[in-house]
Amino acid sequence: MNAAGSRLAGRIVSGGEAGRAESWYHRLLRAYPPAYRAAHGEEIVGTLLEVSAGRARPSARECAGLVAGGLAARFRERTARSAPWWADGLALGAFLIALTNLASDLTMVDQDLWTAYGPWVICSVVLVLALLRGRLWVALPVALLEAYQVNRSLIGGDSVLRVVPEFGPVYGVGETVVQYGAMVAALVVLAVLATRRSVRPRPRSWWWLAVLAIVSVAWRVHITMGSQVVPVCSPEGACHPAHVPNEIPLFDLTRVGLTVLLLTCGVWATAVTRDLRWALAGAFFLLTSTGPHVYYALTGDGVPVTLVAVFWGVQAVLVGAMTVTARRGARARA
């Protein structure tokens, strides 16, 4: 054991400020991978306790530094002990598409899951969990079934061999084309990865499911955007103007914010690892998710075209930053 570790081992902490500080540092160290904590955790805590003697909790700078260092260590571990960069990047892109679709699907189920839309949501949940844990042979048939259900309006609408019933959303022709294109792209990626055992990605963190919790809460929270005057009439026929607030769900704003946040994290992960997998995942997600937004904007059934263009531009800049950062790292290593 080194000097710092020996000092920590010989130190008896029985509550007080030192004990609270040590608890804080151990919690913050959970940002690091388990193997790194086992090898260096006690040494780090011992050093930090000496530096912060007399304080009951770490400073904000120490908290930010430990969390950032832990995430950077996890990013490096991912690139060192995972599938090839292109396989892990494509798998992450497919997972992001499935996660985004599930976040939208959950907004369609308010109180009663046992509707015609219920089986679709269940399939989306299974698909996300299978991709989260790297079970590609579980995800592949579910993705194939969803792709069929989306495309059934173009192929006659009959159930598969009269066994699988129809369920899920019913799109128009234009909507089917854009939705089906994204699903087919993800399906092809899953088929390629599932048939090549040597490139199977590792499972991902359960923390990804926090995205679903955030958007679910955001769907139920509404923000007031001004008000409008509408006539209110009584049964007797007397009418009078009334101010009715315009409330919109926080869902769309939250989804945009999370997308930009995740892509920004991808830029940081690329800067830390100089690896192209984050850029590939971002580009795949961007190309497959842009079609539906553009279609709804052009048909007047969504946000304005200008906002879609701005949002797409921000995503494209972030993906471009990942690519440039990774290529500069490759040239430096060469």
Side-chain angles (χ1 to χ4, degrees):
M1 183 179 295
N2 53 35
S6 298
R7 286 192 294 270
L8 177 63
R11 187 173 186 171
I12 300 176
V13 178
S14 59
E17 294 182 350
R20 290 195 294 270
E22 184 178 5
S23 299
W24 269 98
Y25 286 129
H26 277 295
R27 285 194 291 267
L28 290 170
L29 279 178
R30 295 186 66 83
Y32 285 82
Y36 189 95
R37 293 200 306 269
H40 307 287
E42 296 300 327
E43 177 183 357
I44 294 174
V45 172
T47 302
L48 291 172
L49 285 174
E50 288 188 352
V51 173
S52 62
R55 287 185 302 178
R57 63 182 60 189
S59 64
R61 183 176 180 180
E62 287 178 325
C63 292
L66 286 172
V67 172
L71 294 178
R74 288 183 181 273
F75 289 143
R76 295 190 185 98
E77 184 187 54
R78 184 80 195 185
T79 58
R81 299 175 54 192
S82 184
W85 69 269
W86 61 269
D88 196 45
L90 289 176
L92 178 58
F95 171 72
L96 290 176
I97 294 172
L99 189 68
T100 302
N101 291 338
L102 178 57
S104 298
D105 293 339
L106 291 176
T107 64
M108 304 299 293
V109 181
D110 294 328
Q111 300 292 332
D112 187 8
L113 181 62
W114 305 110
T115 63
Y117 206 80
W120 176 268
V121 176
I122 294 174
C123 285
S124 296
V125 171
V126 172
L127 180 60
V128 167
L129 293 178
L131 292 176
L132 182 73
R133 306 313 297 165
R135 308 296 185 183
L136 298 180
W137 280 110
V138 177
L140 187 60
V142 177
L144 180 61
L145 178 59
E146 286 195 339
Y148 164 77
Q149 293 290 349
V150 169
N151 196 43
R152 68 180 186 272
S153 62
L154 298 181
I155 59 177
D158 293 332
S159 60
V160 181
L161 301 178
R162 306 289 182 180
V163 174
V164 180
E166 299 176 8
F167 59 86
V170 178
Y171 298 114
V173 175
E175 292 175 293
T176 299
V177 171
V178 295
Q179 296 284 352
Y180 191 63
M183 287 194 169
V184 168
L187 185 62
V188 170
V189 166
L190 293 178
V192 171
L193 297 179
T195 54
R196 300 189 62 175
R197 294 182 176 273
S198 60
V199 298
R200 184 163 298 176
R202 291 173 57 203
R204 306 190 184 278
S205 171
W206 289 102
W207 282 106
W208 277 102
L209 299 182
V211 173
L212 298 176
I214 293 173
V215 296
S216 297
V217 171
W219 176 251
R220 290 165 174 79
V221 176
H222 291 69
I223 56 178
T224 302
M225 301 291 291
S227 62
Q228 60 180 345
V229 179
V230 298
V232 177
C233 300
S234 64
E236 292 77 16
C239 298
H240 63 277
H243 290 272
V244 178
N246 293 325
E247 294 185 341
I248 60 174
L250 196 60
F251 174 76
D252 289 331
L253 182 61
T254 302
R255 183 172 58 180
V256 170
L258 285 173
T259 301
V260 174
L261 176 62
L262 289 175
L263 290 177
T264 303
C265 291
V267 175
W268 179 44
T270 306
V272 169
T273 62
R274 303 293 179 170
D275 194 278
L276 268 172
R277 72 187 65 209
W278 322 107
L280 179 59
F284 183 60
F285 172 76
L286 176 62
L287 293 176
T288 54
S289 63
T290 299
H293 292 295
V294 172
Y295 173 81
Y296 295 137
L298 293 177
T299 56
D301 190 20
V303 296
V305 178
T306 304
L307 291 180
V308 172
V310 170
F311 182 39
W312 190 92
V314 171
Q315 294 181 87
V317 168
L318 293 173
V319 172
M322 294 184 218
T323 305
V324 172
T325 302
R327 291 185 63 85
R328 285 181 177 177
R331 288 198 297 268
R333 288 193 298 270

